[in-house]
Amino acid sequence: MTQPARPREIEEETGRQRGAPAPRLWRVIGPFGVSFLADGLATVTLPLLALNATRVPIAVGLVAFCRSAPWAFIAPFAGVLVDYWDRRRVLVLASAVRCAVLVCVAAMLASGSAGLSAVIVTALVLGICEVAYDTAAQTVLPSVMPGDRLSRANARLSAVETVSAQFAGPALAGILAALALAPLTLSTAVVYAAALLLVRGLRIPRQDAPAGAKVLPAIREGFRFLWDHRALRTLTWGTALGATAFAGWFAQFTLYAVAPGPMGLGTREFGLVLAVSAAGSLAAALAVPVLHRLIAARFLLTIAIVFIATGMLLPVCLPGPVAAAAGLALYGAAVVVWNVLSVTYRQQQVPDRLLGRVTAAYRTLAWGAAPLGALAGGVIGQYFGVRTSLVVFGLMPLFQIPALLILPLGRAERQLAPAPDDARL
């Protein structure tokens, strides 16, 4: 079995050469913060576009399926692209395409021709671009930050993502949606355009494709590294279960929360509930370094899973906007803890030359089943009721707890601990 490289060995293979000065963190995460803001707008825009076209649960689930399906089919090829092509160009191209397709949808809304088929195509294109952009973005921090600052850098990036994607984005989307869907859609396109301009200024080490490199063997190499690494494999299946559960849950939660659903929220209130829920995510992003000094990673991951399930079930047990916001806040906090620890561990264990492909393989396996979760949520909601669907998917994350308690992190559990505060961050 292939033995995973140690973090010290990997540091020599990263795009940041040993002894080279690390950039200030805000210069790296600033462009991503703007892109996260656009993602926050899109998080509210796409479900509302679906509801504008239909109220059939299966159709709403189909839109969610198209948004997440590219992770199952496109991600491996995106990983090769990220490892063998200029990563900055990947980020720019993905932003440009998302901007263009949303401008087209805004024009269709203004003319009254934005039907379900247009929403489905939009969801699919946004999903493909998301795969390429996120795969490239995951490789940036480890290529420019030293290993002892990586955990703290990931935590602060999560804080920026929380403020932009979960607070500012949904809140702004709720205000714009109260006016009309067309201004909301066009505003999302404009923010993606701004992210495009900012990301052009990033200095990212370029990876050149080796002579005679072939796509399919390169994809297999990424999957093989991931599969041979027991701890990464366990984290992959845990993420897969959680992503599938949330995909099925959130697709039906929109029907449950927005009037005439049982919760009876308007579109503006729905956006504000999502924004208020970001408070938990932000608090967790700031607290992860401290929490990990006190609690071992495997136990912190297990606690996160319990909170994820609790957050998903709370709005069902106690219907109302306050319980919904509290549940989503708890869910968001737990997801941030899980993501910071698992992403940092993966970045430390994988050589830079493989990071794009291993990240893509991880997300293909972890998120590849999410589209099926969205469809299953629609089917269960259609035939057994939306509330039943929410309960079923809310309980799903708990099944991974036994595997987490024996997670073989070994020495890496200590290496995950963040370094002391650095003024340059």
Side-chain angles (χ1 to χ4, degrees):
M1 178 179 292
T2 303
Q3 293 297 322
R6 297 291 183 188
R8 287 185 179 178
E9 298 167 349
I10 292 171
E11 185 179 1
E12 298 176 358
E13 301 183 48
T14 60
R16 189 189 69 86
Q17 298 297 321
R18 184 182 295 275
R24 292 184 181 274
L25 185 58
W26 67 266
R27 293 179 179 174
V28 179
I29 67 176
F32 294 120
V34 177
S35 184
F36 292 148
L37 177 62
D39 290 342
L41 289 166
T43 298
V44 178
T45 302
L46 196 58
L48 293 180
L49 286 172
L51 292 178
N52 182 66
T54 180
R55 302 261 342 168
V56 178
I58 291 180
V60 175
L62 180 61
V63 173
F65 171 85
C66 291
R67 174 74 183 275
S68 54
W71 282 108
F73 307 108
I74 304 298
F77 300 95
V80 176
L81 180 67
V82 168
D83 279 344
Y84 289 170
W85 202 43
D86 187 340
R87 291 168 178 173
R88 183 175 57 180
R89 291 185 180 181
V90 176
L91 296 170
V92 168
L93 182 60
S95 298
V97 173
R98 286 190 281 192
C99 174
V101 71
L102 287 170
V103 168
C104 293
V105 173
M108 296 176 69
L109 284 169
S111 64
S113 58
L116 180 61
S117 58
V119 177
I120 289 174
V121 172
T122 300
L124 186 61
V125 173
L126 291 179
I128 292 172
C129 293
E130 179 182 272
V131 169
Y133 190 96
D134 287 3
T135 301
Q138 285 271 308
T139 67
V140 172
L141 278 184
S143 70
V144 297
M145 288 290 166
D148 61 351
R149 294 170 60 190
L150 193 54
S151 176
R152 189 173 300 278
N154 277 316
R156 297 194 180 183
L157 181 61
S158 291
V160 172
E161 181 177 8
T162 297
V163 172
S164 299
Q166 298 184 38
F167 180 75
L172 180 59
I175 294 172
L176 294 172
L179 301 176
L181 269 179
L184 170 59
T185 306
L186 185 60
S187 298
T188 307
V190 169
V191 179
Y192 275 126
L196 183 158
L197 296 176
L198 290 174
V199 82
R200 286 172 58 89
L202 282 179
R203 294 183 177 181
I204 304 172
R206 181 170 180 172
Q207 300 294 316
D208 295 322
K214 296 182 179 179
V215 173
L216 293 182
I219 291 174
R220 284 197 297 269
E221 186 180 8
F223 275 95
R224 187 181 304 114
F225 185 96
L226 180 64
W227 186 258
D228 288 345
H229 197 299
R230 183 183 171 192
L232 285 178
R233 188 171 68 240
T234 302
L235 290 173
T236 301
W237 296 129
T239 305
L241 188 61
T244 302
F246 187 73
W249 185 88
F250 190 73
Q252 300 306 298
F253 179 71
T254 306
L255 288 169
Y256 181 78
V258 178
M263 199 172 292
L265 300 180
T267 55
R268 182 175 182 177
E269 289 78 10
F270 179 67
L272 291 176
V273 163
L274 296 181
V276 171
S277 72
S281 300
L282 179 59
L286 298 175
V288 166
V290 176
L291 290 174
H292 190 228
R293 291 194 189 100
L294 303 174
I295 306 173
R298 73 190 69 198
F299 297 117
L300 198 53
L301 290 169
T302 303
I303 294 170
I305 290 302
V306 174
F307 283 0
I308 284 174
T310 303
M312 294 170 70
L313 292 171
L314 187 59
V316 186
C317 298
L318 300 172
V322 175
L328 288 174
L330 187 61
Y331 172 87
V335 167
V336 165
V337 172
W338 175 278
N339 285 344
V340 169
L341 294 180
S342 61
V343 168
T344 301
Y345 180 74
R346 184 173 71 245
Q347 290 171 341
Q348 289 179 334
Q349 294 294 304
V350 181
D352 188 69
R353 67 178 183 83
L354 280 169
L355 189 54
R357 282 167 285 168
V358 173
T359 297
Y362 183 99
R363 292 193 165 195
T364 296
L365 296 174
W367 294 0
L372 298 179
L375 283 180
V379 172
I380 295 174
Q382 179 78 27
Y383 294 104
F384 299 97
V386 172
R387 189 186 298 268
T388 301
S389 181
L390 294 175
V391 172
V392 168
F393 287 101
L395 293 172
M396 278 182 59
L398 297 175
F399 289 96
Q400 61 186 292
I401 289 178
L404 289 176
L405 291 175
I406 58 172
L407 189 65
L409 294 180
R411 289 173 54 192
E413 186 144 22
R414 295 190 298 274
Q415 293 163 340
L416 272 170
D421 287 334
D422 191 319
R424 291 175 298 175
L425 282 181

